[in-house]
Amino acid sequence: MAVLVTGGAGYIGSHVVRLLNERGDDVLVVDDFSTGIAARVDGLSVVDLDLAAPDATDRLVDAIREHGVDSIIHFAAKKQVGESVEEPVMYYRQNIGALTNILAAVEATGIESLVFSSSAATYGMPDVEMVGEDLDCRPINPYGQTKLIGEWMIDNQITASQMRGTAFNAVKLRYFNVAGAGWSELADTAVMNLIPIVLGRMKDGKAPIIFGDDYDTPDGTCIRDYVHVKDLAEAHIAALDYMKSGGTTETVFNVGTGTGASVKEVIDTIAEVTGRDIVPEMGERRAGDPPALVADVSRISALLSWKAEFGLEEIVRSAVEAAGMLPEQK
Ligand code: UD1
């Protein structure tokens, strides 16, 4: 049996594909290569498909039958907060429309397990520092809203399948701040998040900008929970195995380390790892940034027996190495 990985040519998806291959699972990648990179899935079975296209369900059903797919990991989606505010319709189409097509294909083929990429963005601006899964979700942008709607769609499908007496299970993973590279060639090439932005600016001879240092945190800068992409990838494998062994107690899990790092700490770590002095500029606060967002990871640790192996230093080192910026790479 094979695992269908949508967005398998993307940053996180390609890490999961690599792990599945390593453990000998058959993999079928579905990607439209809008942001995915073909070289990341070289030599694998690939269907080039926009999951929001009108014929997507039919093409998925054919691919599922042809390749003997029995589970799906769904990454393919839009994920830029700012863009989602400017172009919400694109987010409805690509995140909600595509998931609708996938669920229709699941229903038509009797697929029993789905892992869904959700996000800490579903929580919005929680007023607690440590975020547990039972907290009220109040996403503050269309991106986070489409992820929460996706979770609801999946829950509705689980209920409908129980009513029909069919066995559809799903796990929704709410990622915190994903960074680093498990393999340099699979590194994040989009310069959208803190670590890639800082490294990109250093390459251009520019100082990083800290978006606000007057937050109510120990050093005044925002705290986030940075999780290594390889650890995150392992969480997907754990989620698949959990469903295969009949686990259905909970369906939504935070994926983080349970430990926060401030923007200053991240920049200091980049300075240490690259061996370069970094003097950041202080900028204005960025709208919509919660002061601190750290995952409570007790649920995933208890039910999926998953725990992050890597810390901030290893995350930063892997990203710096992928960027060719370790001192010995000069
Ligand atoms: C962002 C998304 C979030 C998404 C997550 C994972 C926003 C508002 N949030 O989280 O929805 O789930 O990515 O993809 O886009 N920072 C600087 N200077 C910079 C860049 C960032 O100080 O040049 C700070 C930010 O203000 C923030 C922290 O670094 O405090 C992390 O920023 P970022 O990497 O953009 O992630 P989040 O905003 O936490």
Side-chain angles (χ1 to χ4, degrees), residues 104-217:
V106 161
E107 203 169 274
T109 55
I111 293 273
E112 294 188 352
S113 348
L114 172 76
V115 183
F116 176 64
S117 303
S118 188
S119 169
T122 53
Y123 293 114
M125 298 269 275
D127 50 15
V128 292
E129 185 171 320
M130 211 60 166
V131 182
E133 291 90 345
D134 291 332
L135 201 75
D136 272 350
C137 286
R138 299 205 179 108
I140 55 165
N141 50 60
Y143 165 67
Q145 288 162 351
T146 60
K147 286 294 171 184
L148 186 57
I149 292 169
E151 291 190 10
W152 293 339
M153 291 163 66
I154 289 167
D155 289 347
N156 293 337
Q157 201 60 28
I158 293 173
T159 306
S161 121
Q162 283 165 350
M163 289 166 70
R164 285 189 212 113
T166 53
F168 172 63
N169 281 321
V171 164
K172 299 146 298 184
L173 298 178
R174 291 182 181 154
Y175 312 160
F176 281 64
N177 290 64
V178 188
W183 294 269
S184 285
E185 68 275 19
L186 304 183
D188 193 5
T189 50
V191 186
M192 238 102 72
N193 295 102
L194 177 63
I195 296 172
I197 290 174
V198 173
L199 294 177
R201 289 183 70 88
M202 287 170 73
K203 275 194 166 165
D204 295 342
K206 294 184 191 151
I209 302 167
I210 294 182
F211 297 152
D213 66 347
D214 56 352
Y215 285 96
D216 186 15
T217 59

Side-chain angles (χ1 to χ4, degrees), residues 139-327:
I140 55 165
N141 50 60
Y143 165 67
Q145 288 162 351
T146 60
K147 286 294 171 184
L148 186 57
I149 292 169
E151 291 190 10
W152 293 339
M153 291 163 66
I154 289 167
D155 289 347
N156 293 337
Q157 201 60 28
I158 293 173
T159 306
S161 121
Q162 283 165 350
M163 289 166 70
R164 285 189 212 113
T166 53
F168 172 63
N169 281 321
V171 164
K172 299 146 298 184
L173 298 178
R174 291 182 181 154
Y175 312 160
F176 281 64
N177 290 64
V178 188
W183 294 269
S184 285
E185 68 275 19
L186 304 183
D188 193 5
T189 50
V191 186
M192 238 102 72
N193 295 102
L194 177 63
I195 296 172
I197 290 174
V198 173
L199 294 177
R201 289 183 70 88
M202 287 170 73
K203 275 194 166 165
D204 295 342
K206 294 184 191 151
I209 302 167
I210 294 182
F211 297 152
D213 66 347
D214 56 352
Y215 285 96
D216 186 15
T217 59
D219 68 16
T221 67
C222 288
I223 293 174
R224 295 288 181 273
D225 186 335
Y226 295 88
V227 58
H228 196 300
V229 65
K230 196 170 180 192
D231 278 329
L232 172 66
E234 295 279 6
H236 292 76
I237 311 276
L240 273 188
D241 291 346
Y242 168 75
M243 285 185 282
K244 291 222 162 108
S245 62
T248 50
T249 332
E250 297 288 355
T251 62
V252 65
F253 297 91
N254 286 339
V255 193
T257 63
T259 304
S262 73
V263 176
K264 271 191 183 151
E265 284 170 322
V266 171
I267 293 175
D268 286 348
T269 310
I270 295 175
E272 263 168 51
V273 170
T274 55
R276 300 194 205 175
D277 283 339
I278 304 177
V279 184
E281 285 171 22
M282 290 308 156
E284 294 294 308
R285 287 185 178 198
R286 186 175 68 177
D289 261 341
L293 205 58
V294 178
D296 178 335
V297 288
S298 38
R299 181 181 289 177
I300 191 165
S301 141
L303 292 178
L304 265 56
S305 304
W306 175 92
K307 192 173 166 296
E309 192 186 319
F310 303 113
L312 183 62
E313 211 266 343
E314 289 147 317
I315 292 171
V316 167
R317 181 169 296 281
S318 69
V320 168
E321 185 179 1
M325 291 170 71
L326 286 175

